[in-house]
Structure formats: C-alpha cells, structure tokens
Amino acid sequence: MVKRRCKGPQSSLPIDIIRDEILVKLPVKFLLRCRCVSKSWCRIIDDPSFASNHYKKCQNNQEKTRLLVLEPPDMCVAKQICAIRNGGKFRKLSKIGIDVTWFEQYQAVGYVNGLLCIKRYLKETQISQILLWNPSIRKALEIPCSRFSNDLQIRYDIDCAIGYDQVKDDYKVVASVVIQNGLYIPSDVEVFTLHTFSWKSVNVRRGPWLWRKDSPKVFLNGVIYWGALHVLVQTTLKGRFSHFMSFSVSNDTFNCIELPNNEQIHEWEYERFPIILDQSIGLMKVFESCSQIWVLEESKGKEQTWIKRFNINLQLFKKCIYFKMDGELLFAGEKCGVNSYDIKRQETKVLAKSYKLSPFYICVYMESLALLKGVPKKATYTFPPHGTVQSG
C-alpha cells in the first residue's frame, strides 16, 4: 500500500503521520501558525474531522483542563478581563483584555466545545449583540438580529443558551424575549443555527411554567437544562423551582422534568440549579445550613427518578462559584479567596488566598478550533482582536 506524502516542507513524512502523530498533539496557537507552512497542512488543520479529533484529545487529557473566568468590567481601566486559569491550582495562565466603554459589558450565557456564547450590553440592561466567541483562536462571530429586535419597540432583553448537535456537527443558540426582569412565560422562542446562519421560530407550550431570566443552564448529551416554576406549585414544597425545562438541540423540542420535594420543609431553601455529575444531569439544592446533590437516574422500568447522592455540610450559598462535572465545587473563601471542595472525598483545599473580583462567569475550558472553517461567507468576525492578549 502506497502512502500519500505531503508536498510541503516535510515531504519525507506521510500525511497520516503528520496529522495523527504531530499536529493533533499541538496547542491551538501553534496550529494557527502551522496553517501557513503549506497548503496541505492548512487543509489538514481546516478539516472539521481534524478539529473534532483535536478537541477530543484535549478533552481526555486532564493536564490540559483549564478554567475560563470572565470578570466584571473595570471602568477605571476601561477593560473587561477574560482569564484562562489552571484547572487544578487556579493559577492564571493568560488573559484577554476586552476594551469596553462606560455602561458596556459582556455577559457569558453558555459554553460548549470551546465556543462561548456572549451577550453585549449597553446602558446595563439594553442588549445590543449576541456573539459566538472562541478564545483559543481569538475570533468571534456576531449573530444577526432576530425577529425580536424588529418587532419590539420597547426595552427588552433576550434570555439565551447554546447547544451542540453532534450528529450534524452544528451549534445552536436558543433565545426567548424577556420584557420584564425575573420570572416570565415565554411568548416567542427562536433558534439560531450556525450552519445556515439564520433564525427560525420554534413551538413552545404556553405556560404553566415560568422561566427565570439568565438562570444557570447546563448542556449534556444534546439537551439544554434550566430551572422553571409551575405557577400552581407551592414553593414551600418544591423550593424555588419545581421543574427543569429541557430543550433538545437535535429536534428543537421542549420538555419538562419535575424536581423532588423539599425534604427540609422547616428550613429556607435558597437556590436550586442544574449541574452535571458523572455524565448525568443533577440538581443542587442549597439550604441555609447545608447543600444537597441529587442525580436523575433511570430505574429498571426505564423511568427516571431523582436519587439523593450527597449531603454537604457547608454553607455555600452566596459563595458558590462553579460546579465541575467531576464533583469538584469551587466556592468563595475568606478574604475573597477561592476554595475547592471534592464532594466524593469530602476534602477542601485553598486554590487562591485572595482574588480581587468575584467571577462574573466561570466554566471548564478546552482548546478548540471551532469557527475556523465551515462558517457561511456572509458571516463576519468581530470582538477582540481589538482586545489585548497577555501572558499570565
């Protein structure tokens, strides 16, 4: 069997060796430089299958696990910092300074496979842009305006989330209009598809579930989950939220999942939000004196039931920063420090003794080549490069 050989500078090596043994192991910043070596190398790196294999390599390598932290804007220096930190020690590896003006800020609403969905706000409440940003390649795409911005002449906000269709290798953004703050019943829901670079309306059953604006959302196995409240359910029995709403990215359908009752009816339940634990959808319930973690599991009859897995005797409300799917909980410590709690080992460690600002948004970050190719020609890149990139 005759192997094809690369026509570039490394012509003595077969293409499959270059692709599978060399390039796939390089960081994204080096791959971007390698695209300029030859046309054959550029074709390899731009191939969507190569981008997928490269991301899987990073995902399976715990040493490459990073944390992305989007901090609140600092108006004294007209910057909003996005920092990449070590996943184990919280040490800053690099940062991106995003130029902002007065009353301007960027809010992250979701992260999937290296791609961050961001809303740009002006005058604190008025949304002006929705962006898909890949910090690895320092590029972002501005999503075109949906029908929402054309039909409404009053101040409004858009609650949105991002998901990934693995079968079609496509990213989607689900958006609903919010006239008021807090809880709302969505009247219009639209879905943006990256491959078509357009919006479409989707059907959602009106009520009786109230959605909460900018509630925590998680994405798992093609489904987006977030909290909702049934208008007829007593909050003393179900807590702050009675259901999880879910959206299937593959077939654009909504569903709801009933949450377990509040066991500690005599204690105020501060918060409920979805988490991912061991590749299963979970629920974190935060009380005044402790926290509980429940997992949705399938029984022998193939019916899903909620099982309580952990009881955490830590008062983490107003301190909880982020829950990693491997069971590590990041929370604010004394003097604005950052601590880690392993729910399985019941171990606590200090990651940072001091941290100047409370994180605005934090997520597990993996390097990705998303948005490098396959984007429609009518799409335009925006949002930093005007920002500055610095080493940590």
Side-chain angles (χ1 to χ4, degrees):
M1 179 177 172
V2 179
K3 295 183 178 180
R4 292 181 301 162
R5 296 183 180 276
C6 177
K7 295 182 180 180
Q10 301 293 336
S11 58
S12 60
L13 293 176
I15 289 181
D16 55 351
I17 298 297
I18 295 175
R19 180 187 63 237
D20 301 332
E21 300 297 331
I22 299 176
L23 295 180
V24 76
K25 298 179 181 180
L26 295 179
V28 169
K29 64 179 181 179
F30 291 118
L31 290 175
L32 297 179
R33 298 175 185 175
C34 291
R35 293 176 73 247
C36 302
V37 171
S38 68
K39 292 182 179 179
S40 59
W41 282 31
C42 186
R43 284 194 297 268
I44 291 173
I45 296 170
D46 286 351
D47 189 338
S49 62
F50 175 82
S52 178
N53 291 334
H54 182 269
Y55 181 79
K56 290 178 181 177
K57 287 278 186 180
C58 294
Q59 195 174 29
N60 296 329
N61 189 344
Q62 293 296 325
E63 295 181 357
K64 293 186 177 181
T65 301
R66 302 288 184 259
L67 292 174
L68 183 147
V69 183
L70 182 64
E71 300 175 356
D74 186 352
M75 292 308 173
C76 296
V77 294
K79 292 283 186 182
Q80 185 168 1
I81 300 299
C82 179
I84 307 299
R85 294 181 171 271
N86 181 280
K89 298 181 179 180
F90 206 67
R91 181 173 60 88
K92 184 184 292 183
L93 302 177
S94 63
K95 68 178 181 179
I96 304 171
I98 307 168
D99 297 331
V100 295
T101 58
W102 286 101
F103 305 111
E104 180 185 17
Q105 67 178 15
Y106 291 90
Q107 176 185 342
V109 298
Y111 178 86
V112 177
N113 294 359
L115 206 57
L116 197 67
C117 183
I118 290 184
K119 295 191 292 185
R120 176 174 175 260
Y121 281 93
L122 294 175
K123 299 180 180 179
E124 297 181 350
T125 58
Q126 184 178 352
I127 186 171
S128 61
Q129 287 177 315
I130 300 178
L131 304 146
L132 296 179
W133 179 36
N134 184 344
S136 300
I137 64 175
R138 312 300 190 216
K139 287 186 177 182
L141 289 176
E142 180 181 355
I143 295 178
C145 295
S146 68
R147 180 172 53 84
F148 296 151
S149 58
N150 297 327
D151 291 351
L152 298 175
Q153 301 298 325
I154 59 176
R155 177 173 294 185
Y156 68 98
D157 196 357
I158 295 177
D159 190 19
C160 56
I162 184 172
Y164 175 70
D165 187 343
Q166 187 174 3
V167 176
K168 298 181 180 179
D169 186 25
D170 196 8
Y171 293 89
K172 292 185 178 181
V173 175
V174 186
S176 56
V177 64
V178 183
I179 304 297
Q180 74 282 3
N181 294 323
L183 297 173
Y184 70 101
I185 296 179
S187 57
D188 294 291
V189 178
E190 291 194 354
V191 176
F192 172 82
T193 304
L194 183 59
H195 277 183
T196 62
F197 212 70
S198 61
W199 293 89
K200 70 174 182 179
S201 298
V202 295
N203 294 324
V204 56
R205 186 166 52 178
R206 295 288 303 273
W209 295 279
L210 296 168
W211 297 7
R212 188 181 74 173
K213 173 180 170 292
D214 294 331
S215 64
K217 299 175 179 67
V218 298
F219 175 77
L220 177 67
N221 298 330
V223 181
I224 305 171
Y225 299 88
W226 66 95
L229 175 66
H230 195 292
V231 295
L232 300 179
V233 173
Q234 296 182 9
T235 58
T236 55
L237 295 178
K238 290 289 184 180
R240 302 247 344 236
F241 292 100
S242 59
H243 292 74
F244 278 164
M245 294 299 301
S246 66
F247 177 80
S248 175
V249 177
S250 59
N251 53 25
D252 296 340
T253 57
F254 290 90
N255 198 1
C256 64
I257 303 172
E258 188 174 0
L259 300 181
N261 285 326
N262 185 355
E263 293 181 332
Q264 299 177 231
I265 59 176
H266 299 296
E267 188 171 357
W268 176 252
E269 182 176 338
Y270 283 110
E271 187 63 282
R272 289 182 168 202
F273 53 87
I275 60 173
I276 300 174
L277 179 62
D278 298 332
Q279 293 303 312
S280 297
I281 188 67
L283 165 68
M284 186 161 184
K285 302 167 66 174
V286 183
F287 297 94
E288 187 175 5
S289 61
C290 67
S291 298
Q292 296 177 354
I293 292 179
W294 296 64
V295 176
L296 190 62
E297 298 180 350
E298 289 188 0
S299 60
K300 295 181 179 180
K302 295 184 179 181
E303 293 182 357
Q304 293 181 321
T305 56
W306 287 100
I307 306 297
K308 186 169 69 172
R309 294 279 299 275
F310 298 98
N311 196 75
I312 306 173
N313 294 319
L314 291 174
Q315 297 181 14
L316 299 179
F317 180 69
K318 296 182 180 179
K319 296 183 178 181
C320 184
I321 298 175
Y322 183 65
F323 186 90
K324 297 169 64 175
M325 64 178 64
D326 60 357
E328 183 181 3
L329 180 67
L330 305 183
F331 64 98
E334 297 180 358
K335 299 180 181 180
C336 297
V338 177
N339 293 350
S340 168
Y341 179 75
D342 191 318
I343 64 173
K344 298 176 182 179
R345 299 179 182 179
Q346 299 183 8
E347 295 178 352
T348 304
K349 62 180 179 181
V350 178
L351 299 181
K353 293 183 179 180
S354 62
Y355 189 57
K356 186 176 181 181
L357 295 173
S358 298
F360 188 80
Y361 179 84
I362 187 170
C363 66
V364 171
Y365 165 77
M366 295 288 182
E367 289 194 335
S368 169
L369 292 168
L371 292 181
L372 196 59
K373 193 176 181 183
V375 178
K377 293 183 180 180
K378 59 183 177 181
T380 55
Y381 288 111
T382 181
F383 176 65
H386 69 270
T388 56
V389 182
Q390 302 176 359
S391 298

